[in-house]
Amino acid sequence: MATRTDAPTRREQILKEAARLFAERGFHGVGVDEIGAAVGISGPGLYRHFPGKDAMLAELLVGISGQLLTGAKRRLAEADGQVGAEAVLDSLIEGHIDFALDDRPLITLHDRELDRLRDSDRKMVRQLQRQYVELWVGVVREVYPGLGEPAARSAVHSVFGLLNSTPHLGRAGVLPGRGATAELLHRMARGAFAAAGA
């Protein structure tokens, strides 16, 4: 999701490799030595950046939930009444597709490892996710004013399920290409909202 073009920091490298390894082999199937080796430092060297694996997992899952919410708020602020609700919805969908295609290990990690977070971190993830959903619900109801709040919320969750299915699409090299995949996902998401609002 990051739009930065400068080199990632060591901390970001560690998080990226931890996410990949946790998604591939599970949280308990990966040791700090393996994460360290993936970024070229010793396992104990990781402790200069994180107190342990639990902290990495928390930062990954709380972090991506916060990034999604921040990105959606930014897209709304950029629209600032200058474009219609349909364009805002398209922008939200594009932002979530970027996440779904670029951060596939985090989707797997969320599905498998959310319950391993401390209660406070899990509550924070859920709080951020609720805010993200409600932001979408507001936009969806602007586009489809006849759609009640519960139905709009249900449609948003359904679209997230669709978009977050990307880890099951096969390895990145097997997909038809990022642009084609993104376009297909976008059309499917809009189709789902149109069906809900019909």
Side-chain angles (χ1 to χ4, degrees), residues 3 6 17-18 20-21 23 38 56 60-61 73 84 119 121 127-129 133 142-144 159 193:
T3 56
D6 51 330
E17 289 304 315
R20 180 183 65 78
L21 290 167
M56 289 179 217
L60 285 165
L61 295 181
K73 285 180 175 178
D119 284 346
D121 290 327
Q127 179 184 2
L128 292 166
Q129 289 174 338
V133 167
E142 280 186 59
V143 176
Y144 303 101
V159 166
F193 283 130

Side-chain angles (χ1 to χ4, degrees), residues 4-17:
R4 293 175 24 180
T5 55
D6 51 330
T9 66
R10 176 62 66 156
R11 187 178 180 87
E12 291 167 337
Q13 291 172 343
I14 292 167
L15 287 172
K16 180 178 179 180
E17 289 304 315

Side-chain angles (χ1 to χ4, degrees), residues 12-160:
E12 291 167 337
Q13 291 172 343
I14 292 167
L15 287 172
K16 180 178 179 180
E17 289 304 315
R20 180 183 65 78
L21 290 167
F22 292 159
E24 286 175 3
R25 297 205 304 265
F27 180 73
H28 288 303
V30 178
V32 292
D33 289 338
E34 293 169 273
I35 298 168
V39 295
I41 61 176
S42 69
L46 289 178
Y47 295 113
R48 285 191 295 252
H49 302 278
F50 296 94
K53 286 195 320 178
D54 290 340
M56 289 179 217
L57 182 64
E59 187 158 333
L60 285 165
L61 295 181
V62 173
I64 194 57
S65 297
Q67 286 174 36
L68 284 168
L69 178 59
T70 299
K73 285 180 175 178
R74 186 189 72 246
R75 287 171 183 271
L76 281 178
E78 287 170 356
D80 193 30
Q82 302 301 310
V83 297
E86 296 236 6
V88 174
L89 181 57
D90 284 333
S91 180
L92 289 175
I93 293 170
E94 287 164 13
H96 200 96
I97 288 172
D98 286 344
F99 156 68
L101 292 176
D102 297 341
D103 293 313
R104 293 165 70 187
L106 290 176
I107 296 171
T108 300
L109 201 57
H110 180 277
D111 289 346
R112 291 185 190 160
E113 310 290 355
L114 181 64
D115 288 343
R116 298 199 190 284
L117 292 180
R118 291 179 310 173
D119 284 346
S120 59
D121 290 327
R122 192 169 49 253
K123 285 178 184 173
M124 176 59 72
V125 168
R126 292 298 190 204
Q127 179 184 2
L128 292 166
Q129 289 174 338
R130 277 193 299 274
Q131 291 176 47
Y132 184 59
V133 167
E134 293 311 309
L135 189 147
W136 276 67
V137 166
V139 174
V140 168
R141 292 192 70 206
E142 280 186 59
V143 176
Y144 303 101
L147 197 58
E149 193 171 309
R153 190 171 294 107
S154 214
V156 168
H157 281 290
S158 296
V159 166
F160 288 170

